[in-house]
Amino acid sequence: SIQWGILVTGFFTGYFGDGVAAIPLNVSQLIQGDFAAAAALISLGAVLGKSTPLQTLIMVFFELIFYAFNFQVGTTMLGAADMGGTIFLHTFGAYFGLA
């Protein structure tokens, strides 16, 4: 899920920025991919033991897309400052797992 997180966060960063020409692979992008995977792990805790591996894979696939979109809208359009991933990482992961 870290690799998928790097791709979707890089795509939405470029989409809300200057366009998607190429997704950079730097330390900042690796950390954003790590945070996206952590949001999926938080959601996994809510459905642990109740979902099959295929259901978990589908959930993580769509969750990381919505997480990256939510993160970019919150930081670029709303101007929210998220120190350490508290707002976007923990609350999004928890509410996505409960939904």
Side-chain angles (χ1 to χ4, degrees):
S1 67
I2 292 176
Q3 294 89 350
W4 180 239
I6 291 170
L7 288 175
V8 291
T9 55
F11 173 75
F12 281 114
T13 300
Y15 182 76
F16 282 95
D18 55 357
V20 183
I23 297 173
L25 189 60
N26 52 24
V27 174
S28 174
Q29 197 64 33
L30 292 173
I31 291 172
Q32 284 185 4
D34 238 0
F35 280 177
L41 287 174
I42 291 170
S43 297
L44 181 64
V47 297
L48 193 62
K50 298 175 183 71
S51 64
T52 65
L54 180 62
Q55 290 171 333
T56 304
L57 182 68
I58 293 169
M59 181 188 83
V60 169
F61 177 80
F62 286 111
E63 179 179 2
L64 294 186
I65 294 171
F66 294 131
Y67 168 80
F69 179 75
N70 183 41
F71 181 79
Q72 287 303 317
V73 167
T75 56
T76 59
M77 297 176 111
L78 300 177
D82 188 16
M83 294 298 155
T86 306
I87 299 170
F88 300 111
L89 174 68
H90 293 98
T91 54
F92 183 81
Y95 285 124
F96 196 90
L98 293 176

